[in-house]
Amino acid sequence: MLKNIAIIMGGYSSEYQISLKSGSMVYDTLDRYKYTPYAIHIFKNKWVCVHENGEETPVNKDDFSILIDGKKVTFDCVFNAIHGSPGEDGFMQGYFKLLDIPQTSCSMYQAALTFNKRDLLATLKPFGIKTAESFYLNLGDTIDEDAIVEKVGLPCFVKANKAGSSFGISKVYKTEDLKTAIENSFEEDDEIIIEQFLDGVEVSVGVISYKGETKVLPITEIISENDFFDYQAKYEGKSQEITPARISEYYKDKVITEAKKIYEILKMSGFTRSEFIFKNDEPYLLEVNTVPGLTKESILPQQAAAAGISLEDLFANAIEEAIRN
């Protein structure tokens, strides 16, 4: 019997277009001898199943079902491909938990925690995970530029705290430019994080649950053509992503240990991609993504390919793990 798989994509954040590409890749790749995939677009004003002919069928939010030719279609599993809210911050995870429908990403608490950079870093600090010096601001707080610079130094990064990693981020070199960068971040979120600049090798480490085990994928080294790994670098080819990373065995062992430790401390499931920068021969954690990009060009699929895992196998394994757990 074929399993009905809802692939949720889109979302409410600035990254919705990337999510549509990720979801479409999953839709196109799934084995039709095992699964019947449905492309479900989730937007603030509509939740719809988009058919191959472009027609749309509304989703019944009461039980997450659709009607096709008068017949009710329910789902054996949801494949989560929404970057940002509501797919990466815990909302969809909580909704599907209440409906008792398996879904491929981590649980609600883990999603909410990792999406909030401030809370994630604070949670991991007692476990010895190293992070950059940071300063936090909520919308409406008095902005004391001198206090910020005293704590984090210059240059520094100004980021939205609870948005995807590509929007609302600036690299600031001069104190007088802080205000504009802070306003830019507040466009994306009502909380922001200002971080010390770490000058070192940047790597991305994929960790997944694969055949019942925690598996660390080959590491990717990131060399941005832009000033840092921003939206253009990440999604528009303005970076070199080298897998496996050209780092020493010492660095490799260190960052693999940290990435696996983070996955297990947080009791993660599904896909994660953690970003680190090496400083003084130690990996410093920048962030953890729980719904990473899934196009062929995206980092996690590149890493899976380097590990000998095809996209078809990567996606099918995520579904089977979700159903089994």
Side-chain angles (χ1 to χ4, degrees):
M1 183 94 171
L2 295 178
K3 293 184 177 111
N4 288 341
I5 309 299
I7 302 157
I8 59 171
M9 59 188 95
Y12 306 162
S13 82
S14 307
E15 292 187 82
Y16 76 91
Q17 287 172 313
I18 305 301
S19 170
L20 292 175
K21 287 183 183 174
S22 289
S24 298
M25 177 58 73
V26 177
Y27 181 88
D28 292 342
T29 303
L30 286 184
D31 182 350
R32 298 309 196 261
Y33 290 104
K34 287 185 187 171
Y35 309 113
T36 305
Y38 294 82
I40 308 289
H41 290 203
I42 305 262
F43 293 108
K44 278 185 178 166
N45 61 341
K46 64 177 181 181
W47 289 23
V48 291
C49 176
V50 179
H51 304 286
E52 290 194 354
N53 62 4
E55 286 182 12
E56 297 181 353
T57 300
V59 173
N60 181 345
K61 293 184 186 178
D62 292 342
D63 60 358
F64 199 69
S65 66
I66 54 176
L67 273 181
I68 295 180
D69 299 329
K71 287 185 183 163
K72 183 174 178 174
V73 176
T74 57
F75 300 103
D76 298 292
C77 183
V78 172
F79 196 109
N80 182 7
I82 296 178
H83 312 312
S85 189
E88 204 165 0
D89 55 5
F91 285 101
M92 297 309 293
Q93 289 84 347
Y95 168 73
F96 291 122
K97 182 74 173 171
L98 288 172
L99 293 177
D100 201 25
I101 302 173
Q103 56 86 33
T104 57
S105 56
C106 60
S107 301
M108 179 180 80
Y109 171 73
Q110 282 79 1
L113 177 66
T114 50
F115 198 67
N116 187 314
K117 298 179 183 78
R118 173 173 67 188
D119 293 355
L120 171 70
L121 299 177
T123 300
L124 291 172
K125 208 166 188 177
F127 294 94
I129 304 298
K130 293 178 174 59
T131 61
E133 278 290 344
S134 51
F135 192 103
Y136 303 107
L137 283 173
N138 294 326
L139 189 61
D141 284 355
T142 304
I143 297 165
D144 183 341
E145 284 104 331
D146 292 335
I148 293 168
V149 172
E150 193 176 324
K151 180 146 195 225
V152 303
L154 288 171
C156 64
F157 282 108
V158 181
K159 305 175 181 179
N161 186 46
K162 305 187 303 291
S165 56
S166 310
F167 289 91
I169 178 167
S170 313
K171 189 174 180 182
V172 175
Y173 291 88
K174 294 186 286 197
T175 306
E176 55 266 34
D177 295 337
L178 266 172
K179 192 167 179 289
T180 305
I182 288 166
E183 286 167 1
N184 175 48
S185 291
F186 278 136
E187 294 278 314
E188 289 291 324
D189 190 16
D190 60 1
E191 296 174 4
I192 66 172
I193 176 170
I194 303 169
E195 282 184 333
Q196 164 196 23
F197 167 62
L198 299 175
D199 190 11
V201 177
E202 182 169 355
V203 294
S204 187
V205 188
V207 185
I208 63 174
S209 180
Y210 186 71
K211 301 190 189 305
E213 302 284 329
T214 300
K215 183 175 181 65
V216 182
L217 297 172
I219 299 159
T220 300
E221 179 184 351
I222 293 165
I223 303 163
S224 177
E225 290 172 27
N226 291 358
D227 202 12
F228 59 93
F229 195 47
D230 60 3
Y231 183 90
Q232 279 190 319
K234 197 170 286 187
Y235 298 123
E236 295 176 5
K238 298 279 187 182
S239 69
Q240 272 182 284
E241 293 152 12
I242 300 164
T243 311
R246 303 165 305 174
I247 55 176
S248 66
E249 286 300 314
Y250 175 81
Y251 271 27
K252 194 190 293 183
D253 291 345
K254 279 235 165 190
V255 81
I256 285 172
T257 301
E258 291 295 271
K260 190 163 190 260
K261 183 176 169 185
I262 290 164
Y263 194 93
E264 290 174 346
I265 286 168
L266 297 176
K267 298 186 168 64
M268 294 301 296
S269 51
F271 301 152
T272 68
R273 206 191 68 225
S274 301
E275 317 297 331
F276 296 89
I277 286 183
F278 280 94
K279 178 194 172 193
N280 302 331
D281 294 337
E282 296 289 340
Y284 281 64
L285 177 70
L286 300 180
E287 63 179 4
V288 176
N289 301 289
T290 59
V291 186
L294 297 173
T295 67
K296 268 193 181 123
E297 298 76 38
S298 300
I299 292 171
L300 193 95
Q302 284 181 37
Q303 295 175 340
I309 301 169
S310 68
L311 278 183
E312 189 179 303
D313 185 15
L314 184 71
F315 299 155
N317 175 76
I319 290 166
E320 298 308 323
E321 293 267 305
I323 290 170
R324 189 164 57 242
N325 296 328

